[in-house]
Amino acid sequence: MVNGTDDPFMAWQPTTAGFPFSWSLDNLELPFNSPPVFDLSSTSHSPIRVSNVTRSIDRVDPHSQAACQDHGATEPHRASPRRYLEAENICGGYTKPCGIFPDVEPDDLQVAEAEMFGHISLVPAAAVKGLHKFYLTQQTGRSMTPIPKCVLRAFLELYFEHFDRQFPCIHPSRVEDPSLSWILLLATTAVGSHYSEMTAAAAYNTILCDLLARAVESAFLRSLKADISLMQSTFLLHVIWMFSGSGRDKVLVQHKRGSLAAMCWDLLGQVDPPQDSDATSLGLEQIWEAWLAEEETIRLVTSVRALESLDSVFLDTPLISSLRTLPRRLPSSESLWRCRNTAEWQSTRQELGKFRHTTAGDSRSQPILQTGDFGLKILHLELFTDQKSLARHIKASQAMKVSFATSLGFPTPTPTQTSISQVRPSAESRGASHPLLETLPEHPAFSMFTDMLYEPPRQSDTILEVLAILHHVSLETLHSATGWQATKEQMFRAKSRFRDFFQNDGIQARRCLLHAARIFRVTRGSRLGACYDVFSVMIAMGFIYCYIELCTETPHTEKTSGHQRVPLVRLDQLESRVAVDNWINNGADSLLHLTGVGLLSGPDACVRFLRDIEKSLLSQIAWAGICRAFAGSFAQLRRGETPTRPSTDHI
């Protein structure tokens, strides 16, 4: 089925299905004995029509059957078309039994032991029992083997080791609390299973995500109260849906997002931090608990908004939640958040107080100290999405006025007659500017965009690198220039804008190219990346691909006279401030090199570059489904095909 000479990596059968990119896994024929993609589309009481296919809730889910067949289920335990759940255990549209946890192999137990990182000292027995009890209700009454505790704990450890830094909204001490909600335990382990290297990890992941969707649906059917554990679990389910690679899951998260935003507003209204006047009447333990409850709420609401902002950044979708759902402050510093008990928290507060006193005149340290890495990332993300919303509103307003004027026979208004004048002239190619965002990189407290060129983010987060690129080149330009759902005319215009950007603003263009190379370096060397890293790779791929195709000349020796050699710059290896500044300011004629790709010039440079990205994505362990889907689309681009059209090579 796979042509080894033409496409040595994977069989790919993408579908556009009305979505902006071809990364949907709905019609993907997965190689490498991958587990089938779990379908969570039938979660409502009525049939859902997606991609012109109506999936009735009474129809057997083929993914659930395949999961039972592929992951060690015996014949009597398989879900058959006639085996429905009992009425009291039906969760919305989930009328069929869920999959069955596979038998654990000795090798997997050893891997689970290796995946213990010491974040959690114990897993509350009551929560484990509650999870297993719910699992049994989603079967057909027979006794099933529960998920082993060591595997459950390994997934929980992986959550805090690899995922928590992306959205730090659940405090580790909450997970160790004897009153831990079993739904929250299920949600954290479902996310953590994306990072496991166990052989059966994919099977566990499929069933845990299925159970989580059922549990959240069941909880909302029984209670609409804004309980923070339920909201945290719902948020993690939305993360799973958004980065599953399935177009149907993308519809679900868009459909459910409004209700979660409304619940965030209700939850913020319940926050009642202790006042200074009450501090004397409360014990230190009570003050710590009150602070932790407030901080968890702030971080949860901030994470919900951040997830929606990421959707806007990477997929150019409008924001749903309003500004009223935002918390009134940014999250506290990471040093305070990482405290595990009252004594440690109090000690850290005192140390921070001393530091604030000694750095009272340092405007650079104060905001960073108060917000931490997560808060600064959220601030940049929020300002960027606000900029996009402003530009979208101005564009829509201008179009409306033109339309109304034409219909009523009035003269067509010129751009100067509308609020478009508030946006800088280069808005079409570089995006509308927000005054605060424009001055942010120069502010001593928020110098990340410039300092990243010399001191990359400590946690190798790709979001800030992406924002630095999209601040100068719009997402539409990058996508159209590489052929993502664009006509030939749109591709030509986008390529012209990109070429003009390099010719007329070479210094900023080289800065963006360096940010793209940093994304390439971080993601290429990691198999357990962030859930949104694959989208960051797409941004970096688009920029570097356009540079190779439009801004390089072959041979480079024509640029020099005599025997002078063209300077070679290993773009992803630039680290010193002197080297970075020298290339940005004087590197227009340099020859660029990327590790694993080679020189970014020559007739086969684009092919070599895309082939290396494919290999990197196919080797990913975390969020492997969407990584494989993107790799398939990149393979189409490598072969010279339009990446949004289905490939016929493997049909």
Side-chain angles (χ1 to χ4, degrees):
M1 182 169 156
V2 180
N3 188 329
T5 57
D6 183 50
D7 190 2
F9 299 116
M10 68 182 299
W12 173 238
Q13 211 173 348
T15 174
T16 55
F19 293 96
F21 312 112
S22 60
W23 49 261
S24 171
L25 287 179
D26 299 331
N27 291 340
L28 177 62
E29 205 170 314
L30 287 175
F32 312 123
N33 297 321
S34 297
V37 181
F38 179 67
D39 178 16
L40 297 176
S41 61
S42 57
T43 56
S44 66
H45 293 281
S46 59
I48 299 177
R49 188 170 180 84
V50 181
S51 306
N52 299 322
V53 178
T54 302
R55 305 178 65 90
S56 170
I57 61 174
D58 290 331
R59 188 176 303 172
V60 178
D61 188 350
H63 297 308
S64 297
Q65 287 185 314
C68 292
Q69 294 171 2
D70 293 345
H71 304 314
T74 58
E75 184 65 26
H77 292 168
R78 277 185 200 164
S80 64
R82 294 185 177 89
R83 294 183 62 197
Y84 296 83
L85 295 176
E86 296 179 4
E88 62 271 18
N89 296 325
I90 291 177
C91 305
Y94 294 97
T95 61
K96 306 297 188 297
C98 70
I100 300 174
F101 288 127
D103 295 330
V104 183
E105 300 296 333
D107 290 345
D108 279 346
L109 292 177
Q110 293 181 357
V111 174
E113 288 292 333
E115 292 175 340
M116 303 288 185
F117 296 95
H119 297 288
I120 303 299
S121 60
L122 58 89
V123 182
V128 176
K129 183 178 179 180
L131 193 160
H132 180 55
K133 182 178 179 180
F134 178 75
Y135 168 62
L136 293 180
T137 65
Q138 299 306 299
Q139 297 297 330
T140 53
R142 64 187 63 209
S143 179
M144 298 293 177
T145 303
I147 182 172
K149 289 184 179 180
C150 62
V151 174
L152 204 63
R153 180 173 173 181
F155 292 162
L156 197 57
E157 293 274 0
L158 289 168
Y159 173 90
F160 286 102
E161 178 70 16
H162 298 291
F163 179 82
D164 178 65
R165 63 180 178 83
Q166 301 162 42
F167 300 100
C169 60
I170 300 175
H171 197 268
S173 66
R174 296 297 195 193
V175 180
E176 298 174 335
D177 194 304
S179 62
L180 171 67
S181 166
W182 65 265
I183 297 181
L184 186 56
L185 174 63
L186 174 59
T188 50
T189 52
V191 172
S193 63
H194 285 82
Y195 296 89
S196 178
E197 298 188 51
M198 291 190 299
T199 304
Y204 281 119
N205 175 261
T206 299
I207 300 169
L208 288 171
C209 293
D210 181 7
L211 285 174
L212 178 60
R214 294 168 184 250
V216 170
E217 177 98 358
S218 177
F220 276 112
L221 287 175
R222 289 165 172 77
S223 174
L224 292 177
K225 183 180 178 181
D227 175 74
I228 188 168
S229 294
L230 178 56
M231 291 181 62
Q232 289 169 329
S233 303
T234 305
F235 166 71
L236 294 180
L237 177 61
H238 285 197
V239 172
I240 292 172
W241 278 344
M242 182 171 174
F243 300 104
S244 70
S246 168
R248 288 184 290 270
D249 290 352
K250 193 68 176 64
V251 171
L252 278 175
V253 75
Q254 289 287 351
H255 175 64
K256 304 286 188 180
R257 184 170 290 160
S259 60
L260 183 58
M263 291 175 60
C264 285
W265 174 248
D266 293 338
L267 191 64
L268 280 175
Q270 299 175 14
V271 174
D272 188 20
Q275 304 297 321
D276 293 337
S277 58
D278 300 330
T280 56
S281 61
L282 296 176
L284 187 59
E285 185 73 22
Q286 292 174 300
I287 297 176
W288 149 253
E289 290 291 340
W291 178 89
L292 186 57
E294 180 192 9
E295 185 67 19
E296 273 196 317
T297 300
I298 296 297
R299 285 175 173 263
L300 173 61
V301 177
T302 302
S303 296
V304 170
R305 176 73 175 192
L307 183 64
E308 185 181 357
S309 298
L310 289 175
D311 196 19
S312 177
V313 168
F314 290 122
L315 301 181
D316 203 25
T317 57
L319 297 175
I320 297 176
S321 60
S322 63
L323 291 177
R324 72 173 193 151
T325 59
L326 293 178
R328 294 170 179 79
R329 67 167 177 83
L330 287 170
S332 298
S333 66
E334 304 304 315
S335 57
L336 273 178
W337 173 249
R338 286 194 297 266
C339 296
R340 300 294 291 269
N341 53 58
T342 305
E344 186 178 352
W345 178 71
Q346 178 68 2
S347 175
T348 304
R349 287 181 66 197
Q350 294 174 352
E351 290 297 325
L352 290 178
K354 294 178 182 178
F355 187 82
R356 290 191 185 98
H357 179 72
T358 57
T359 60
D362 188 353
S363 60
R364 178 186 179 90
S365 300
Q366 282 292 324
I368 295 177
L369 175 69
Q370 295 173 7
T371 60
D373 294 339
F374 179 61
L376 287 177
K377 181 175 71 173
I378 294 302
L379 178 60
H380 284 79
L381 189 61
E382 191 64 44
L383 289 173
F384 183 85
T385 52
D386 182 60
Q387 158 191 302
K388 287 189 62 177
S389 298
L390 174 64
R392 181 182 286 110
H393 175 75
I394 293 175
K395 184 177 180 180
S397 176
Q398 182 181 5
M400 179 192 67
K401 293 176 181 179
V402 170
S403 176
F404 285 179
T406 303
S407 301
L408 297 175
F410 291 106
T412 302
T414 62
T416 57
Q417 294 174 298
T418 69
S419 56
I420 195 70
S421 59
Q422 299 174 9
V423 182
R424 58 187 177 187
S426 58
E428 183 180 5
S429 61
R430 298 177 61 178
S433 175
H434 189 291
L436 181 57
L437 186 65
E438 188 69 26
T439 59
L440 195 58
E442 286 73 35
H443 194 283
F446 303 102
S447 57
M448 281 192 173
F449 282 164
T450 51
D451 281 357
M452 277 194 304
L453 297 175
Y454 316 110
E455 300 175 7
R458 284 170 287 179
Q459 295 182 339
S460 301
D461 200 308
T462 58
I463 292 299
L464 296 181
E465 310 277 9
V466 166
L467 297 183
I469 295 173
L470 295 183
H471 184 54
H472 296 282
V473 181
S474 69
L475 187 68
E476 179 184 3
T477 296
L478 289 176
H479 287 166
S480 298
T482 51
W484 295 86
Q485 284 219 338
T487 63
K488 291 184 178 180
E489 182 181 357
Q490 291 171 331
M491 287 180 61
F492 177 78
R493 289 201 303 265
K495 289 181 178 180
S496 297
R497 289 197 296 267
F498 190 90
R499 188 182 289 109
D500 291 342
F501 176 47
F502 254 92
Q503 292 176 351
N504 301 327
D505 199 354
I507 291 180
Q508 291 297 344
R510 284 188 288 278
R511 286 182 184 271
C512 292
L513 190 58
L514 184 56
H515 285 297
R518 293 272 173 81
I519 295 174
F520 173 82
R521 177 180 179 178
V522 169
T523 55
R524 187 176 188 270
S526 172
R527 301 174 66 202
L528 298 168
C531 55
Y532 45 74
D533 275 355
V534 66
F535 288 98
S536 301
V537 169
M538 186 176 185
I539 301 298
M541 182 280 298
F543 198 94
I544 297 175
Y545 179 89
C546 289
Y547 168 79
I548 296 173
E549 186 180 48
L550 305 173
C551 304
T552 58
E553 299 178 12
T554 305
H556 276 71
T557 53
E558 296 177 359
K559 295 183 179 180
T560 60
S561 57
H563 298 286
Q564 182 181 1
R565 296 184 60 185
V566 177
L568 176 66
V569 176
R570 300 185 184 276
L571 193 59
D572 58 324
Q573 302 296 326
L574 287 178
E575 294 182 353
S576 70
R577 182 180 292 266
V578 173
V580 169
D581 283 339
N582 181 60
W583 177 72
I584 288 178
N585 296 319
N586 308 299
D589 296 330
S590 58
L591 191 60
L592 302 184
H593 178 280
L594 280 181
T595 303
V597 177
L599 297 178
L600 300 185
S601 63
D604 64 336
C606 285
V607 173
R608 286 185 279 108
F609 173 61
L610 291 173
R611 193 183 297 273
D612 189 84
I613 291 183
E614 288 174 59
K615 290 181 180 179
S616 176
L617 291 179
L618 291 177
S619 67
Q620 291 295 313
I621 294 173
W623 311 96
I626 194 171
C627 290
R628 291 168 184 264
F630 267 96
S633 292
F634 293 163
Q636 289 185 297
L637 185 60
R638 171 175 56 83
R639 295 192 297 264
E641 303 171 4
T642 302
T644 52
R645 295 177 182 173
S647 172
T648 58
D649 290 355
H650 315 298
I651 297 178

